[in-house]
Amino acid sequence: MIKIILLVLCFGLSTLTTLLLHLDEAWKIATGIVGFGLAYIVAIILLFFLFAAISTLTVSKKKAPVKYGGGYRKLYNFYSLVLLSLFGVKLTVNGLDKIPNDENFILFQNHLSNVDPIYTNYVLRKYPLIFYSKDSLFKIPFFGKTIKGIGYVKLTRKTGFDDSCEIIRSLRWIRAGECSLAIYPEGTRNKTYPEPVLLDLKEQLMGIVKKSDKPIVISVIHDSEKINNKLLFKVHKIQIDFLTVIKPVEYKNLSEVELNEKVRNIMLDGINHPLEAKEKVRLY
């Protein structure tokens, strides 16, 4: 919808601009409408990036965030809305009613595309939520400072002091009830899907979950690996299923290996047997 509105706005303005020039030949009028239309599109894109740059000026590149950034989350939701609309994404969701509304939680989800966090974040935009994210994402202009402002957890995928501090911070925040936490337990994007449909889950992440003493929301995403196919010229149907919630009382006596196996089995079943799509997520 946003893509259509922008095109109508830009070429409407270009038509008006061309008419104001009182051009007297058809080819000049046509050239003016197309030329000014493209110019307005470029101007809007530049204004968008200027807005993004100004909005993140207060985010420090060196200092870790000290609290959940709800304001930056709203900004990110706006970016997500624009991107999903421009990419022609149609989201459907099942089981959203399973998510706890009275306490924060840890979300587990399979990982098929670099854009997965944008889908999931937008579906869960009403919940305070941070993600475990690879450090390269924080280097992306504007976007990196936005997710840092929210409080996303930067991981280098190496055993070291920095990662330990970030993990401890995330545990402190979730225990204090500041926000919920989204984790991709495969540890990386599944670049060979559908063989296998799910990579091995990282057992050390189960240890983090057990220390949090929070419910585990298990979710699977379908078809997001196809997003790069004709990105701007095709409708992309993505489905997110929220399968179940494992309460702390259900996993406190399980070992990390046992919890890992339990989560893996639920995710595998959800990937292999998608739920019947019910609720479309409106992009507005």
Side-chain angles (χ1 to χ4, degrees):
M1 180 61 71
I2 287 181
K3 183 160 52 176
I4 295 174
I5 292 173
L6 287 176
L7 288 174
V8 170
L9 175 63
C10 290
F11 283 97
L13 288 172
S14 72
T15 301
L16 179 61
T17 303
T18 303
L19 292 174
L20 290 174
L21 293 176
H22 302 293
L23 301 176
D24 54 1
E25 295 184 44
W27 71 270
K28 291 181 179 179
I29 295 173
T31 302
I33 291 174
V34 173
F36 285 119
L38 294 175
Y40 280 120
I41 290 174
V42 171
I44 288 176
I45 293 173
L46 292 175
L47 285 173
F48 177 82
F49 283 111
L50 178 61
F51 171 75
I54 293 173
S55 300
T56 56
L57 283 176
T58 58
V59 178
S60 171
K61 291 184 178 181
K62 298 181 179 180
K63 295 181 180 179
V66 295
K67 63 179 181 179
Y68 172 74
Y72 290 105
R73 178 75 186 287
K74 291 179 181 178
L75 183 65
Y76 184 43
N77 290 341
F78 170 69
Y79 296 158
S80 301
L81 170 61
V82 172
L83 289 174
L84 293 175
S85 298
L86 289 177
F87 294 166
V89 173
K90 301 296 181 184
L91 286 171
T92 56
V93 61
N94 293 294
L96 198 58
D97 57 322
K98 293 184 174 72
I99 297 179
N101 289 309
D102 55 347
E103 62 178 324
N104 51 336
F105 53 86
I106 290 183
L107 174 73
F108 276 165
Q109 189 179 82
N110 60 319
H111 196 11
L112 301 176
S113 164
N114 286 328
V115 199
D116 289 347
I118 295 179
Y119 306 141
T120 305
N121 175 80
Y122 193 77
V123 169
L124 299 177
R125 60 192 180 279
K126 295 181 180 179
Y127 298 86
L129 183 67
I130 59 174
F131 283 73
Y132 274 5
S133 302
K134 58 184 179 181
D135 59 339
S136 60
L137 293 179
F138 292 82
K139 299 175 183 177
I140 300 175
F142 315 128
F143 176 82
K145 293 186 72 173
T146 301
I147 61 175
K148 184 172 183 179
I150 296 170
Y152 276 35
V153 180
K154 180 169 66 173
L155 298 180
T156 63
R157 295 176 180 163
K158 298 177 182 178
T159 302
F161 177 76
D162 290 340
D163 280 6
S164 297
C165 288
E166 286 287 278
I167 291 171
I168 291 170
R169 173 173 67 83
S170 68
L171 280 172
R172 187 173 69 249
W173 283 16
I174 192 172
R175 284 173 176 169
E178 277 200 58
C179 58
S180 296
L181 174 64
I183 300 175
Y184 293 113
E186 294 167 283
T188 188
R189 178 166 53 96
N190 186 348
K191 301 176 183 178
T192 61
Y193 180 89
E195 294 292 341
V197 295
L198 186 69
L199 302 178
D200 291 337
L201 308 189
K202 305 298 182 182
E203 288 181 8
Q204 58 266 39
L205 293 176
M206 303 304 160
I208 294 172
V209 172
K210 289 175 67 67
K211 290 177 182 177
S212 76
D213 197 34
K214 295 293 181 179
I216 306 171
V217 176
I218 301 180
S219 170
V220 292
I221 191 167
H222 303 278
D223 297 323
S224 68
E225 77 283 358
K226 301 175 183 177
I227 187 65
N228 292 328
N229 182 20
K230 298 179 180 178
L231 185 61
L232 293 173
F233 305 101
K234 184 180 178 180
V235 174
H236 302 276
K237 296 182 180 180
I238 309 297
Q239 179 172 325
I240 298 177
D241 294 337
F242 296 95
L243 304 174
T244 190
V245 177
I246 304 176
K247 298 180 179 179
V249 68
E250 299 176 64
Y251 68 69
K252 69 176 183 179
N253 293 324
L254 298 179
S255 67
E256 293 178 14
V257 174
E258 291 170 330
L259 180 57
N260 187 298
E261 189 66 20
K262 183 180 180 70
V263 171
R264 179 176 175 80
N265 289 337
I266 294 172
M267 294 183 75
L268 278 174
D269 186 63
I271 293 170
N272 291 321
H273 303 93
L275 300 176
E276 182 180 349
K278 294 180 180 180
E279 182 183 344
K280 293 184 178 180
V281 178
R282 293 176 61 87
L283 301 179
Y284 58 89

